[in-house]
Amino acid sequence: MLRERIQASNYSFLDKLKSIDYLLILLILAIGSISVFAIYSTEGGKFSFYTKNHIIRLSVFFSLFLVLSFVRVSTWYKNAYLFYLIGLILLLVVLFFGISASGATRWINLYFLNLQPSELMKIAVIICFARYYHRIQSSDIQSIKFLIQPIILLIVPCYLVIQQPDLGTSILIAGSGIAIIWLAGLNIKYFVYSGLLLLVSLPFAISILKPYQKSRILTFFNPDRDPLGAGYQIIQSKIAIGSGGFFGKGYLKGTQSYLEFLPEKHTDFIFTLFSEEFGFLGSIILLFLYILLIYRIINVGLVSRSFFAKLYCFGFATAIFLYVFVNIAMVLGMLPIVGAPLPIMSYGGSSLLSIMLGLSIVMSCKIYNQEQISVY
Amino acid sequence: MLNRGRNIEKGRVITRRMFILAAAKILLFAGISSRLYNLQISDREKYEILSDKNRIREWKTPPQRGIIVDNFNKVLASNDRVFQLHLILDEINDFDVTIFKIKNIIGLDQFEIKKLYKKKERLKPWDTLVVSDNLTWEQFSKINLYLHELEGAKPVLSTSRFYPYANDLVHIVGYVGDASPKDLEKPEIKENFVPGLKVGKYGIENSQEKMLIGNYGIKRYEVNASGKRISQIDYIKERQGNKVNLTIDIEIQKYAQELLKGKSGSICAMDIYTGEVVAMASSPTYDPNKFTHGINQKDWQEIRNNPLKPLINKSIAGLYSPGSTFKPLVALAALEYGILDPNKTIRCKGHKHPYELYGVKYHCWKKEGHGYMKLRNAIKQSCDIYFYEMARLLGVDKLSIIAKRYGLGTNVLGDLYDDEKNGLVPDTKWKRRTLEQSWYLGETVINGIGQGYIQTTPLQLCLMTAQIANGGYKIKPHIIKDESINYKDVINKIKLDQSNFPLHERNYLDDINVEYYQRMYHKKSNINFVLDAMFGSTNEQYGTSYKSRYDDPKYQFAGKTGTSQVRRITDLDRELDLDTEQIDYKKRDHALYVAFAPYKDPRYAISVIIEHGGSGSKAAAPLASKLIKRIIDRHKLREQFNNGNTSLA
């Protein structure tokens, strides 16, 4: 304990600055600026509400990211369960006092921001699991006793989020949680068995889905089933992307979006707009930026000494991958439409906040990568 | 140390698993990339088309219909300015309220409102509903006054078909109306149709649709997802339909219709060299303008229930026994085949001693008989007995060849009119084929005076007369100007042929097919004989149309009367010998008259038929006489105009 403290206090501010992953910051800034341009385009090239808000949020949360990067990774470790608990309480608040929009109750009104606790829960689950597995002996990981707890920790928020209802976020929370359990080293047979169980219980699961969720899934398999209703979004999205071609229609010239054929163009379908205007080339570049981002996060995990940091970084990298993959696969018609924003790109405060928060923990792992975290 | 070893073990596991996950991530990103490649590069064209389909919407603009003009370029069918009320459906919040307001302003009845609702159901939400396509000026200004209260209402100045000569031309020009599903199957309509466009329903309007309809214009707009127009991308202007130039002289046509007023019948007039139909009147008639905006029930019933059948174009769709107007052709046939010496004398002994064949009696129309007749006199005085005998000698098959060659038995104007009849020229083969009976000689006998099976249209009789009057040359009758033929040359050629070649090199009497502007006679003297006999019929005492003659050689014409029985004349009828006025209208004879004029250097042929008019000489010939004068008066004008001096019009 003493040694740790000595080590930690040994970091001078210059050392800290030196160990910052500047490429990571550059990547965040690059994707952030692309997102500003994309949202500017959703408003038909007018500098108004969404663009302004997005820029403000981006600057505020980016600053927050920079500041929080200097928080010791051990502090995050210590407060991991608290973080999870706060997330859970907020989800319960949503359940009783949440504000609704278009049939879903997902938000808490914080006056300057409508907070979506389920977005925070995405990070909370990762950090909570990272702490949980950090202290467990590798021999104990396989035991049922130590498996039950994370499963409960995962099922409760997922259930609360599904109740909102928000299938997409719930799937993403579950996905990141499962990824961490996998990374922690749980025997592969559990995954195989639960996968089979899921398959068996699928009919039951479908029966408890809300009608609009069911129709989305049916529409995924056949978008032409209801081209002006449930299939409309995916058909229009594919048209927009496909008509972009190799070089795209040009910035601010995406007809599908500015003539309002694209729904939700500044949130879930931001990639569609981007892809329509910048084409295959732009899409691949954006995809590449995300891959670099994920790579940098994994890299931080690789150079970190503590298991907590490793687990967190790998888990968060997987989560980012999941968000990006689910969102893009969704707008490309490869997955059913479930509400899932594209990290940093999509307009939405809570999503941006949670991503920036998650990234600041990554950065803190980087700055304090030599820090040992004792199990207590 | 144990703790440390475990941590190392944990670290190994997590790194290994991280790499497995990373591999999976790369795989999935590769999947996304290939999907992007598929959408944006392989299927790009498909999605580009879909995207354009999304954003570009076309509105077709209706073309103006081509106009129809007469020989002198006088407009017979034009496009007139009309006031219309359109409703832009996507600008209306409450359709019921809007319709209610409109109803109060322009006064729609329950029936019309029901129709509007039905129409609306067929339209797309961004379409335009035509509430009325023909508002009065009063209604139009009222709508404009209340326009601020009517959402989506759009008063429109448009054009619609107008027929300035209304009743005088309907049987030639026809009329337009809304396109029926059957109309829309026609390629020329299908290709050029725009909702609300009127299409031809009858006559020239119908058969010349391809010329008249024009091409619609296209306005392409970029629209947003809710169908709102954002900007106009493209405007391909509509093209008005082509002008159709008729050979009709509206002045003569009008006069012919006037002559027929109150009667049921037809008058046709034709240029005997060019084949141009100068007038083709049918009576009674009706107003085509009533059909343009949909005829109302009352007017329609009035037209339909008229016992004189205005809807039938009697000039081409009315079938009549030619009666005695057939006699010149019978005489010509007998002469051409050399059956009979024109000096052969036959005695007509009146009703007491009728012509008898196998015990059946055939009477002459003249009760007291004509006495001793030679052929010329028999034509002039229209002696039936002479023709009974001549027909018997000639035989029906030879007669039918000549009749067909001179224009009977086939329709005259081709496929210009759907309802034009072929008529019927019977022969033994025809009877065996269709009635499965053999021919009786008695049928030949009555055929000789144009009764029996034979059926002709007035235009056919006109053509027959024309082709005899021009010296026996086949012409091509038409009602639409044919610019491809130089008629000056045609006339010169025929006239040269008339004077130079009296005898045909080959005997083609048995062949009914002759090329246009070629002679059809065998011996010129035969034609001349018939023409001379017709001159006698009109211009000599005892001639049947002597009373209608002109002495002035400028107007002098030659013709042949006819009275066609609509039923068998019984002995009782002969005994009663009633005047026309005393007989039931339906049982009265049809009055016919064919003529050509001027006698010296003839140019026009004319046929007149008055249904149930009584005798040809009393009812038909005087009308022909009046019209001939008018036609000849206008001949010089027509000639000058047609030779390129258009300034006279």
Side-chain angles (χ1 to χ4, degrees):
Chain A
M1 281 260 277
L2 188 69
R3 217 177 128 210
E4 264 174 43
R5 285 214 181 122
I6 291 164
Q7 263 187 1
S9 55
N10 274 349
Y11 292 132
S12 70
F13 188 66
L14 198 69
D15 286 338
K16 287 179 189 171
L17 280 185
K18 265 185 191 165
S19 53
I20 285 176
D21 189 337
Y22 289 101
L23 182 59
L24 188 62
I25 290 179
L26 211 67
L27 283 168
I28 293 166
L29 284 175
I31 299 174
S33 356
I34 290 175
S35 75
V36 171
F37 281 110
I39 285 174
Y40 180 69
S41 174
T42 64
E43 298 195 294
K46 266 180 257 137
F47 188 76
S48 67
F49 182 76
Y50 287 119
T51 321
K52 263 186 230 164
N53 261 5
H54 191 65
I55 290 177
I56 291 169
R57 283 171 185 174
L58 208 57
S59 348
V60 169
F61 294 149
F62 184 73
S63 315
L64 191 71
F65 153 74
L66 288 180
V67 171
L68 290 181
S69 294
F70 292 96
V71 172
R72 274 168 181 269
V73 70
S74 54
T75 314
W76 287 115
Y77 176 81
K78 278 177 215 153
N79 295 308
Y81 289 152
L82 185 66
F83 196 172
Y84 178 85
L85 204 65
I86 292 170
L88 208 60
I89 288 167
L90 287 175
L91 279 180
L92 286 169
V93 171
V94 168
L95 195 62
F96 296 108
F97 308 105
I99 54 171
S100 310
S102 51
T105 311
R106 295 174 186 166
W107 299 272
I108 300 171
N109 189 357
L110 296 181
Y111 297 105
F112 62 94
L113 173 81
N114 282 340
L115 187 71
Q116 193 181 339
S118 58
E119 288 289 340
L120 289 182
M121 205 60 207
K122 285 179 181 173
I123 305 300
V125 162
I126 298 170
I127 194 164
C128 166
F129 277 30
R131 171 171 176 166
Y132 178 78
Y133 279 107
H134 176 78
R135 62 181 186 87
I136 289 180
Q137 306 295 318
S138 62
S139 52
D140 293 337
I141 286 175
Q142 311 301 338
S143 77
I144 298 290
K145 189 184 135 201
F146 289 100
L147 185 57
I148 288 291
Q149 293 175 43
I151 286 176
I152 290 168
L153 286 177
L154 200 54
I155 283 178
V156 172
C158 281
Y159 176 77
L160 286 174
V161 173
I162 281 187
Q163 286 307 304
Q164 289 180 352
D166 187 351
L167 189 63
T169 312
S170 165
I171 286 172
L172 289 176
I173 291 171
S176 356
I178 291 165
I180 293 181
I181 296 173
W182 157 265
L183 285 164
L186 186 66
N187 198 312
I188 197 161
K189 68 180 180 195
Y190 289 105
F191 294 96
V192 174
Y193 291 152
S194 54
L196 287 175
L197 193 73
L198 189 72
L199 220 62
V200 172
S201 63
L202 211 58
F204 173 73
I206 285 173
S207 71
I208 61 163
L209 286 177
K210 298 255 184 283
Y212 87 94
Q213 290 167 332
K214 254 189 258 182
S215 103
R216 274 182 181 181
I217 289 166
L218 285 175
T219 304
F220 164 65
F221 289 111
N222 181 16
D224 296 324
R225 195 176 66 103
D226 185 8
L228 292 176
Y232 181 78
Q233 291 181 321
I234 192 59
I235 289 172
Q236 294 302 336
S237 175
K238 274 162 74 179
I239 291 173
I241 293 170
S243 62
F246 187 79
F247 290 110
K249 290 178 181 167
Y251 185 51
L252 299 180
K253 285 176 187 157
T255 54
Q256 283 284 101
S257 51
Y258 95 80
L259 296 173
E260 289 152 37
F261 289 101
L262 269 189
E264 317 261 345
K265 56 188 171 185
H266 45 266
T267 57
D268 287 1
F269 286 85
I270 190 87
F271 182 80
T272 308
L273 168 125
F274 180 80
S275 195
E276 186 188 14
E277 295 191 343
F278 294 99
F280 182 70
L281 192 66
S283 308
I284 291 294
I285 289 172
L286 186 62
L287 214 56
F288 185 66
L289 288 178
Y290 277 115
I291 291 171
L292 270 186
L293 184 72
I294 290 164
Y295 162 73
R296 284 319 289 182
I297 295 169
I298 288 173
N299 202 45
V300 170
L302 284 173
V303 299
S304 294
R305 283 186 73 173
S306 67
F307 189 73
F308 171 77
K310 273 184 194 298
L311 199 51
Y312 175 78
C313 288
F314 295 162
F316 185 64
T318 308
I320 294 271
F321 165 78
L322 270 182
Y323 307 159
V324 173
F325 176 75
V326 169
N327 177 276
I328 296 183
M330 176 180 97
V331 302
L332 290 177
M334 298 163 83
L335 284 179
I337 305 281
V338 289
L342 188 61
I344 307 175
M345 286 287 285
S346 286
Y347 177 86
S350 308
S351 158
L352 195 60
L353 175 63
S354 79
I355 296 290
M356 287 303 184
L357 209 57
L359 285 168
S360 68
I361 300 171
V362 170
M363 199 52 101
S364 135
C365 292
K366 178 73 185 27
I367 293 172
Y368 303 99
N369 64 9
Q370 292 309 312
E371 204 172 65
Q372 289 272 14
I373 298 169
S374 64
V375 182
Y376 60 88
Chain B
M1 273 317 279
L2 190 72
N3 198 359
R4 197 180 178 89
R6 279 190 192 126
N7 275 348
I8 291 166
E9 164 69 14
K10 260 167 97 178
R12 271 222 315 273
V13 169
I14 193 175
T15 312
R16 196 173 64 232
R17 294 215 161 174
M18 186 277 293
F19 277 115
I20 295 172
L21 263 185
K25 286 173 198 171
I26 288 169
L27 221 66
L28 288 174
F29 270 140
I32 283 182
S33 305
S34 74
R35 173 71 165 187
L36 272 171
Y37 181 87
N38 265 341
L39 288 177
Q40 298 194 296
I41 293 173
S42 311
D43 288 346
R44 180 205 178 147
E45 247 167 77
K46 172 182 146 194
Y47 287 109
E48 254 176 5
I49 291 167
L50 285 173
S51 160
D52 281 346
K53 252 190 177 169
N54 259 344
R55 74 185 178 97
I56 298 170
R57 199 162 288 158
E58 293 182 351
W59 274 267
K60 290 177 182 172
T61 55
Q64 286 220 28
R65 212 170 162 74
I67 58 166
I68 300 173
V69 297
D70 83 340
N71 185 73
F72 298 95
N73 266 329
K74 276 207 177 132
V75 177
L76 308 179
S78 63
N79 300 303
D80 233 36
R81 205 172 64 156
V82 286
F83 306 111
Q84 303 188 334
L85 177 60
H86 293 184
L87 280 181
I88 316 294
L89 291 177
D90 59 1
E91 287 177 14
I92 297 173
N93 290 321
D94 193 332
F95 187 73
D96 299 332
V97 170
T98 309
I99 285 292
F100 181 76
K101 282 181 187 164
I102 289 172
K103 180 193 131 190
N104 287 343
I105 295 169
I106 63 173
L108 297 167
D109 63 33
Q110 219 47 48
F111 183 71
E112 287 168 308
I113 288 172
K114 226 185 240 169
K115 243 164 110 183
L116 283 177
Y117 273 95
K118 243 188 222 162
K119 244 195 205 167
K120 188 201 162 212
E121 260 167 45
R122 286 197 300 260
L123 295 173
K124 299 200 177 70
W126 57 79
D127 274 343
T128 302
L129 173 72
V130 180
V131 176
S132 167
D133 53 11
N134 191 22
L135 292 171
T136 62
W137 169 244
E138 201 180 316
Q139 287 172 322
F140 190 69
S141 39
K142 245 179 164 178
I143 283 283
N144 279 301
L145 195 66
Y146 292 108
L147 200 56
H148 58 281
E149 287 179 17
L150 298 166
E151 51 192 13
K154 206 169 109 188
V156 176
L157 267 174
S158 183
T159 59
S160 86
R161 206 56 158 171
F162 177 67
Y163 303 99
Y165 296 97
N167 296 22
D168 292 335
L169 269 163
V170 62
H171 290 116
I172 296 170
V173 168
Y175 53 89
V176 295
D178 289 322
S180 68
K182 219 174 141 196
D183 289 331
L184 289 174
E185 281 169 23
K186 294 182 193 165
E188 64 268 24
I189 294 178
K190 208 169 148 190
E191 281 164 23
N192 298 299
F193 190 69
V194 179
L197 194 71
K198 307 286 178 180
V199 301
K201 290 290 180 185
Y202 178 75
I204 296 295
E205 292 274 30
N206 180 40
S207 60
Q208 298 303 301
E209 190 72 72
K210 210 173 176 167
M211 289 277 281
L212 293 167
I213 194 165
N215 301 112
Y216 58 71
I218 296 173
K219 281 183 176 163
R220 284 202 184 91
Y221 284 94
E222 188 164 64
V223 296
N224 68 11
S226 42
K228 196 171 174 248
R229 299 177 197 192
I230 303 295
S231 62
Q232 185 172 321
I233 300 173
D234 203 5
Y235 178 28
I236 302 168
K237 246 190 114 54
E238 58 277 357
R239 185 189 66 80
Q240 185 178 6
N242 291 326
K243 185 171 89 170
V244 169
N245 197 341
L246 300 185
T247 61
I248 297 290
D249 180 344
I250 185 62
E251 292 303 319
I252 294 170
Q253 175 75 18
K254 247 163 66 185
Y255 188 57
Q257 287 289 4
E258 197 186 310
L259 291 173
L260 285 173
K261 207 160 217 172
K263 304 180 175 77
S264 173
S266 152
I267 296 179
C268 301
M270 190 186 286
D271 185 312
I272 63 170
Y273 292 113
T274 65
E276 290 179 339
V277 177
V278 175
M280 194 171 89
S282 174
S283 178
T285 177
Y286 54 95
D287 185 355
N289 291 314
K290 283 181 178 164
F291 287 83
T292 308
H293 304 288
I295 190 164
N296 67 42
Q297 209 57 30
K298 191 180 140 260
D299 287 341
W300 176 240
Q301 288 307 334
E302 209 169 277
I303 292 172
R304 256 187 56 166
N305 296 338
N306 187 332
L308 303 183
K309 298 198 176 6
L311 284 172
I312 292 175
N313 187 351
K314 302 202 168 72
S315 307
I316 55 173
L319 285 174
Y320 307 91
S321 303
S324 302
T325 57
F326 191 47
K327 281 176 185 163
L329 201 70
V330 178
L332 180 66
L335 292 170
E336 289 273 86
Y337 280 101
I339 300 296
L340 177 130
D341 177 359
N343 289 322
K344 181 185 167 93
T345 309
I346 292 170
R347 190 177 170 197
C348 172
K349 292 180 272 191
H351 285 182
K352 279 179 189 151
H353 305 284
Y355 184 79
E356 272 193 59
L357 194 69
Y358 305 125
V360 183
K361 290 172 182 168
Y362 301 91
H363 296 88
C364 185
W365 60 273
K366 197 167 180 183
K367 202 169 152 191
E368 50 276 21
H370 288 97
Y372 290 100
M373 289 271 128
K374 287 182 182 171
L375 180 54
R376 188 175 183 281
N377 241 337
I379 296 173
K380 176 181 151 187
Q381 299 190 33
S382 201
C383 173
D384 290 343
I385 305 295
Y386 199 99
F387 278 87
Y388 293 143
E389 174 63 6
M390 193 158 64
R392 187 186 68 80
L393 293 170
L394 177 63
V396 72
D397 288 340
K398 283 187 179 131
L399 177 58
S400 106
I401 288 170
I402 297 292
K404 281 174 184 164
R405 189 186 298 157
Y406 280 81
L408 306 184
T410 42
N411 69 38
V412 175
L413 294 172
D415 46 14
L416 224 45
Y417 293 86
D418 295 338
D419 56 344
E420 183 170 6
K421 297 277 193 336
N422 282 326
L424 174 65
V425 176
D427 57 21
T428 51
K429 242 193 231 157
W430 164 83
K431 194 180 176 193
R432 212 173 301 126
R433 207 174 47 237
T434 51
L435 303 179
E436 292 176 345
Q437 286 170 3
S438 48
W439 187 269
Y440 298 115
L441 197 55
E443 290 163 346
T444 307
V445 167
I446 58 166
N447 224 347
I449 62 159
Q451 299 286 154
Y453 294 117
I454 188 159
Q455 296 270 280
T456 57
T457 67
L459 192 61
Q460 281 173 344
L461 291 179
C462 185
L463 175 64
M464 174 194 82
T465 312
Q467 292 185 137
I468 297 172
N470 69 15
Y473 291 82
K474 183 167 174 140
I475 57 169
K476 191 180 181 184
H478 56 278
I479 201 159
I480 295 172
K481 277 265 176 197
D482 190 343
E483 306 289 348
S484 67
I485 301 164
N486 183 344
Y487 287 112
K488 238 176 160 176
D489 289 354
V490 166
I491 295 166
N492 288 339
K493 209 179 111 195
I494 292 176
K495 288 194 170 167
L496 194 72
D497 194 76
Q498 279 174 348
S499 51
N500 287 354
F501 303 98
L503 200 70
H504 237 290
E505 303 90 39
R506 67 185 175 106
N507 180 2
Y508 72 134
L509 276 176
D510 295 332
D511 184 4
I512 57 166
N513 296 313
V514 182
E515 295 203 7
Y516 288 120
Y517 315 113
Q518 296 293 314
R519 57 179 123 145
M520 300 190 285
Y521 57 83
H522 181 55
K523 251 189 191 163
K524 185 159 174 53
S525 56
N526 296 335
I527 295 276
N528 287 343
F529 181 89
V530 172
L531 295 179
D532 176 56
M534 283 172 83
F535 175 81
S537 169
T538 306
N539 297 295
E540 291 168 11
Q541 216 168 0
Y542 307 121
T544 47
S545 50
Y546 182 61
K547 282 178 188 152
S548 304
R549 75 188 182 282
Y550 290 112
D551 290 329
D552 182 350
K554 187 184 170 192
Y555 300 117
Q556 196 169 46
F557 63 93
K560 181 73 197 77
T561 56
T563 306
S564 129
Q565 299 160 11
V566 292
R567 64 198 178 98
R568 237 192 134 71
I569 297 174
T570 59
D571 286 335
L572 181 70
D573 293 327
R574 264 182 210 105
E575 240 171 74
L576 287 170
D577 192 21
L578 293 167
D579 276 345
T580 304
E581 285 72 23
Q582 293 168 289
I583 309 173
D584 256 7
Y585 176 79
K586 279 277 167 200
K587 291 178 183 168
R588 290 177 200 167
D589 296 336
H590 295 325
L592 292 89
Y593 191 64
V594 297
F596 60 93
Y599 177 70
K600 294 226 159 97
D601 193 15
R603 192 60 200 265
Y604 295 97
I606 183 169
S607 74
V608 179
I609 286 187
I610 306 298
E611 282 187 358
H612 309 294
S615 83
S617 57
K618 277 184 197 146
L623 303 186
S625 163
K626 282 180 190 164
L627 193 71
I628 282 168
K629 184 164 185 298
R630 182 66 65 94
I631 292 174
I632 290 170
D633 279 341
R634 286 182 67 79
H635 173 67
K636 210 173 167 190
L637 198 65
R638 186 182 178 91
E639 196 83 331
Q640 280 170 339
F641 189 91
N642 289 356
N643 289 339
N645 194 350
T646 48
S647 62
L648 270 166

